[in-house]
Amino acid sequence: MKYVAAYALLVLGGTNQPTEAQVTQLLKEAGVEPVAADVKQVVDALKGKSLADVINEGSKQLTSLSVGGGASQNSAPVAQATPAAQTTQAPKVEAPKKVEEPEEDVDMGGLFD
């Protein structure tokens, strides 16, 4: 992901087709030690493609991705809790009681005299 982000930053910065050296340099400046094979794979995969087109294509694929939020039609029904599980209770932990400290008279240095 960091390689794609570095590539995208370079494109947004005005470099239409970033090279492996540019992506590697940006990652090193950000404090990341890049793996050359991974940088090459990302640059080769995006070579000759518009970043906007790649993002649009990826967004279309995300619409089919199930990220939870609702039950799908293929999901199995949720198992109900058994009576034994309902009667088991976690031990209650009592909150520590506050110890009240006596109020002290604070000398305000004649502020309200």
Side-chain angles (χ1 to χ4, degrees):
M1 188 67 162
K2 56 189 162 196
Y3 303 111
V4 176
Y7 188 94
L9 282 172
L10 287 166
V11 170
L12 292 172
T15 307
N16 290 334
Q17 293 292 317
T19 64
E20 292 175 43
Q22 290 171 321
V23 173
T24 300
Q25 180 183 0
L26 177 63
L27 288 168
K28 285 183 179 179
E29 288 175 5
V32 175
E33 189 60 42
V35 177
D38 292 339
V39 173
K40 180 175 176 28
Q41 182 181 7
V42 168
V43 171
D44 288 346
L46 297 173
K47 189 174 288 186
K49 298 179 183 176
S50 164
L51 186 62
D53 292 340
V54 172
I55 291 171
N56 286 335
E57 186 63 33
S59 295
K60 290 176 188 174
Q61 292 178 358
L62 285 176
T63 59
S64 65
L65 180 66
S66 175
V67 292
S72 70
Q73 294 173 349
N74 297 334
S75 67
V78 177
Q80 298 295 321
T82 61
Q86 291 175 351
T87 59
T88 305
Q89 295 178 355
K92 293 183 179 180
V93 178
E94 293 184 24
K97 295 181 180 179
K98 288 185 178 179
V99 177
E100 292 187 27
E101 296 179 16
E103 291 185 25
E104 296 179 13
D105 289 332
V106 180
D107 182 20
M108 298 299 287
L111 181 66
F112 298 106
D113 288 338

